Amino acid sequence: MQIAEPLQIAIEELSKLPGIGRKTAQRLAIHLLKTDLESVEKLLSSIHSLKTNLRFCNRCFNISVNELCDICLNQKRDHTIICVVEEASDVIAIEKSNEHQGCYHVLGGVLSPLSGIGPEILHIKELLKRFETEEIREIILALNPDTEGEATSLYLARLIKPLNVKVTRIARGLPIGGDLEFADEATIGRAVSGRIIIE
C-alpha cells in the first residue's frame, strides 16, 4: 500500500526517537494528523523551545536554562556531596525521591568499548577537574546496575579513591511492594548484602 509522502516522512522521523518503533511512529503520526492544528502547533512550539532555550550546565551537565543549573546555584544544597549519574533523566528521578540534598555530575553515558564509548567521550575529566575548585568529601555513584554501569563505577572508584574522597554507591535490592519469590537471585543477593540496621 502506498502511503502519502508527508505521512511517510513523519513516520520515519518519529521512529528515530528512542523506544519508538515503526508501528508506534505510525500511530503517533496518524494521531497528529487527526489532532487540531492549534494543539500540533503547541507541540511544535514546545519542541522548538526545548532546543533553543535549554542547554547543559557548565559545571554538572544537568539540563539548565542558564550557564549553571538551579541545583548548582542553590546554596542550600550540600556542595561537598556529588551524585554521579549517567543521564540528566537520572537527576530528575533522584530529585523526585527528595532523599539527595547534594549536587550532581552527569556523565552523558557509560563506558562501552564495544560501542566505541571510552572515558574521553564522557564527562569524566570534567568531574576530576571539579576536585581542583570544589571541596568534595563524598562521591555517590548512582549508575545503572548493568555491565556498563558496573564497569564505569569501578573505573571511577579507582580514579577517585587516591584523592582521599569517600566513594559510595546507591544500594540495590528489592523494590517496595515486590515479592521475594519473583525476584532473581542477583537482586536478592544484593538486597541481603546491602542490608541496613533498623533503628
Side-chain angles (χ1 to χ4, degrees), residues 143-155:
L143 304 176
N144 290 323
D146 52 22
T147 307
E148 291 87 1
E150 292 290 323
T152 307
S153 290
L154 287 171
Y155 179 82

Side-chain angles (χ1 to χ4, degrees), residues 34-49:
K34 292 177 181 178
T35 303
D36 63 277
L37 188 58
E38 185 182 344
S39 296
V40 173
E41 284 174 348
K42 278 184 185 175
L43 175 64
L44 291 172
S45 174
S46 70
I47 293 170
H48 186 265
S49 177

Side-chain angles (χ1 to χ4, degrees), residues 46-57 62-66:
S46 70
I47 293 170
H48 186 265
S49 177
L50 181 78
K51 286 302 289 177
T52 56
N53 296 329
L54 290 180
R55 53 183 299 176
F56 292 103
C57 175
N62 186 21
I63 296 167
S64 181
V65 175
N66 302 305

Side-chain angles (χ1 to χ4, degrees), residues 17-18 24 36 39 48 54 75 83-84 86 93 101 125-126 136 140-141 156 160 164-165 172 181 191:
L17 296 170
T24 303
D36 63 277
S39 296
H48 186 265
L54 290 180
Q75 293 306 309
C83 182
V84 178
E86 194 173 318
Q101 298 307 313
K125 67 175 179 289
E126 291 89 347
I136 300 167
I140 303 169
L141 299 173
L156 290 172
I160 296 165
N164 292 321
V165 172
R172 299 193 179 104
E181 69 174 299

Side-chain angles (χ1 to χ4, degrees), residues 77 80-81 92 111 127 139:
R77 304 291 293 225
T80 67
I81 301 174
I92 296 166
L111 296 173
L127 173 63
I139 292 288

Side-chain angles (χ1 to χ4, degrees), residues 126-140:
E126 291 89 347
L127 173 63
L128 297 175
K129 208 168 183 86
R130 291 179 71 171
F131 286 90
E132 298 170 14
T133 56
E134 299 174 45
E135 184 187 327
I136 300 167
R137 62 183 173 86
E138 182 181 359
I139 292 288
I140 303 169

